[in-house]
Amino acid sequence: MERLIRNIVILTGAGISAESGVPTFRAADGLWEGHRVEDVATPEAFARNPALVQAFYDARRAALETVVPNPAHIALAQLDQAWRGNLLLVTQNVDDLHERAGSVRLVHMHGELKSAWCTACGACHRWEKPLADDPPCPCCGRAGNLRPDIVWFGETPYEMGRIEAALAEADLFIAIGTSGAVYPAAGFVDRARAARARCVELNLEPSLGSERFHECRFGPASVRVPELVDSLLA
Ligand code: APR
């Protein structure tokens, strides 16, 4: 007998924002092609060359002003608004397209471009402007301590307790537009399987962990995501 779906966990990666014009990481023309991870996405890189790291994220933050949510973000927001059971959207993306589409039950496990973190006082602030000019922290007033609120390689993703709890109760796990190259997110499918959830992958092509999903539907997120949401809300 098919299991009744009440609790849904959705994981999104860079592929869901690709059709909005945000580059993915591992494509031939992706973000990591122009930059070495070790130069811009580790705490050591920031300690070594803060100006380079701030410039990299300042450019990505500014680029958000030129993009808008696509039908995949919008469909997930509609699902969030209509779904009466538990739902958690976990994104690895640091863009703000899910919230701009209207998603509320949302976790940014890898941080957010539009957030700045003061390493002196620990406060986090909504941040739309550049950080390269070392602005003072609005909380403690000290300059030179604000860094992008991004989870770099070697750092611990946000809200893992909440995510693990949701996965342990999941009836349906959906991974969208992620290559399955980066843990712990790449292991969520195993947590969901252990909870006996049905696991569905939506991606342009098979991810590294495709065979761990019960079902894979390939194609652009702007098509595959609205299709799946329609079937869940039918
Ligand atoms: N629709 C659906 N999937 C797509 C689309 C699209 N239009 N375009 C690309 N994809 C797929 C690619 O085939 C690929 O499998 O999205 C995936 C993107 O993979 P990555 O570039 O590796 O991005 P992601 O999985 O989100 O990376 C995870 O790695 O670098 C770190 O912290 C960074 O959060 C990021 C993490």
Side-chain angles (χ1 to χ4, degrees):
M1 199 174 71
E2 217 168 278
R3 179 170 169 174
L4 192 69
I5 297 172
R6 185 178 150 71
N7 302 330
I8 303 177
V9 179
I10 303 161
L11 172 69
T12 62
I16 197 167
S17 296
E19 290 164 85
S20 292
V22 181
T24 63
F25 294 94
R26 293 175 180 79
D29 58 349
L31 257 187
W32 294 148
E33 275 302 297
H35 299 87
R36 294 191 323 149
V37 170
E38 313 87 77
D39 289 339
V40 292
T42 65
E44 294 77 17
F46 188 56
R48 206 165 46 236
N49 192 344
L52 174 78
V53 175
Q54 296 285 27
F56 176 74
Y57 289 101
D58 281 356
R60 294 182 61 200
R61 190 179 308 105
L64 292 186
E65 303 314 313
T66 67
V67 299
V68 292
N70 68 54
H73 300 103
I74 292 165
L76 291 184
Q78 286 165 347
L79 182 64
D80 186 8
Q81 278 145 26
W83 192 255
R84 288 174 186 275
N86 293 319
L87 180 146
L88 186 64
L89 172 53
V90 182
T91 188
Q92 299 168 89
N93 298 343
V94 294
D95 66 50
D96 60 348
L97 294 177
H98 282 307
E99 47 270 58
R100 276 159 63 188
S103 281
V104 174
R105 291 179 275 182
L106 172 67
V107 170
H108 276 278
M109 68 177 288
H110 288 170
E112 297 171 64
L113 282 167
K114 288 195 179 169
S115 176
W117 170 33
C118 177
T119 54
C121 75
C124 288
H125 304 279
R126 296 306 304 165
W127 206 267
E128 311 256 338
K129 295 167 291 185
L131 286 170
D133 51 352
D134 283 337
C137 168
C139 189
C140 70
R142 278 175 281 185
N145 294 299
L146 289 176
R147 59 162 267 187
D149 190 8
I150 303 285
V151 177
W152 286 324
F153 286 93
E155 297 182 323
T156 308
Y158 287 127
E159 301 211 48
M160 285 306 296
R162 183 177 171 196
I163 297 169
E164 295 282 354
L167 287 166
E169 299 288 319
D171 304 306
L172 175 65
F173 173 71
I174 309 165
I176 304 167
T178 179
S179 61
V182 173
Y183 283 80
F188 289 173
V189 60
D190 303 315
R191 299 304 177 103
R193 283 188 78 111
R196 305 176 74 84
R198 179 159 186 81
C199 298
V200 179
E201 170 170 89
L202 306 182
N203 211 39
L204 211 48
E205 60 202 0
S207 71
L208 292 173
S210 267
E211 71 289 345
R212 283 134 75 193
F213 288 82
H214 298 106
E215 183 185 348
C216 298
R217 302 184 189 175
F218 301 118
S222 65
V223 175
R224 291 291 166 258
V225 178
E227 272 172 9
L228 182 61
V229 168
D230 281 352
S231 67
L232 285 168
L233 295 179

